[in-house]
Amino acid sequence: MKFSKSSDLALHGLWQLAVKKKKMLLVAEMARAQKVSETYLAKVFQKLARRGLVKSTRGKKGGFTLAKSPAEIAITDVVRAIETDEPLFTCLGPERGCRGGDQCELKKVFAEAEQRLYDTLSKYTFKDLIERSRADCRKAWLG
Amino acid sequence: MKFSKSSDLALHGLWQLAVKKKKMLLVAEMARAQKVSETYLAKVFQKLARRGLVKSTRGKKGGFTLAKSPAEIAITDVVRAIETDEPLFTCLGPERGCRGGDQCELKKVFAEAEQRLYDTLSKYTFKDLIERSRADCRKAWLG
């Protein structure tokens, strides 16, 4: 189990925006930094824009800026914006005549585990992580 | 993000074995219950056998029995046996000259979140869940 490549892309793109402290980064610039196509990067960042995490500027010189300060963006906000709402565990019970629904005990356990995971990701913002990070982890994204 | 279909299959298969309380279930019987091929079911259950959760009997009448009591099988044991060891988050830093390695702050946060998730899944065994489950959720797997 792992988060999608789109989540990785979103996290690193926001990290780059937060570290560079420039008002705007071009789509081309961000895509080059992450070695992905501009189309793919733009698609992922439109999802972040819809959740109010970044603002987009259209056109040939189009790009993205942070819509909030790094202190206001928790890691969970990013992952929630990108990942689907599909639960961790799929109950096959209904196909077999179990009408437990939300009362399915396996489902409840996985829902609790998922909540713990997102609670942890809620505790940290980009500001926290950048402040604690090694200098070379910040510098790597400045080029 | 979600666990693989193989994890779902393993969890429901173990649930069926625990609920039926029969010494052995045939591969054919388990595959039919979950509407998957026998080959796929056997492949998933071999992984559980390698972790000592079930015992397999070979041959035409081959099948699986629980190798431990339901009270000794935690949900996390099943998921750990099936899912890959890939971390939730992939650090792209090394490709960009960041030598943070395990000191990468994003990596640390995701490792902590993953730990919380598995800690929760460790708290519950099949015995707990079956005891608490609705009668129709047990009965569904008896047929």
Side-chain angles (χ1 to χ4, degrees), chain B residues 79-131:
Chain B
V79 176
R80 291 276 197 195
I82 302 294
E83 300 293 321
T84 64
D85 288 333
E86 260 195 294
L88 276 182
F89 168 78
T90 313
C91 177
L92 302 175
E95 292 177 27
R96 300 200 38 85
C98 165
R99 294 173 304 279
D102 286 343
Q103 296 310 306
C104 165
E105 296 298 325
L106 274 169
K107 233 166 138 176
K108 281 194 236 172
V109 168
F110 279 91
E112 183 186 334
E114 193 168 354
Q115 193 56 50
R116 290 293 92 74
L117 180 135
Y118 283 113
D119 285 350
T120 309
L121 299 181
S122 296
K123 287 193 307 181
Y124 303 98
T125 69
F126 275 88
K127 180 171 180 277
D128 301 329
L129 300 189
I130 287 173
E131 277 176 3

Side-chain angles (χ1 to χ4, degrees), chain A residues 18-90:
Chain A
V19 165
K20 281 203 126 177
K21 294 179 188 165
K22 270 176 68 179
K23 207 167 161 43
M24 188 182 84
L25 284 178
L26 297 175
V27 170
E29 206 172 349
M30 298 176 79
R32 197 168 49 240
Q34 299 210 47
K35 297 172 185 158
V36 293
S37 75
E38 293 183 26
T39 318
Y40 179 33
L41 186 122
K43 208 172 144 190
V44 169
F45 268 69
Q46 287 304 344
K47 286 191 184 177
L48 300 180
R50 279 197 287 277
R51 294 285 184 115
L53 301 178
V54 297
K55 277 184 216 158
S56 69
T57 311
R58 285 162 192 267
K60 209 177 170 184
K61 288 276 176 186
F64 293 97
T65 50
L66 291 182
K68 295 176 169 188
S69 77
E72 293 170 310
I73 306 178
I75 305 307
T76 198
D77 301 333
V78 185
V79 176
R80 290 276 197 197
I82 303 294
E83 300 293 320
T84 64
D85 288 333
E86 261 194 295
L88 275 182
F89 168 78
T90 313

Side-chain angles (χ1 to χ4, degrees), chain A residues 2 90 96 98 112 124 137 140, chain B residues 90 96 98 112 124 137 140:
Chain A
K2 72 193 291 331
T90 313
R96 300 198 41 85
C98 164
E112 182 187 332
Y124 302 99
C137 286
Chain B
T90 313
R96 300 200 38 85
C98 165
E112 183 186 334
Y124 303 98
C137 286

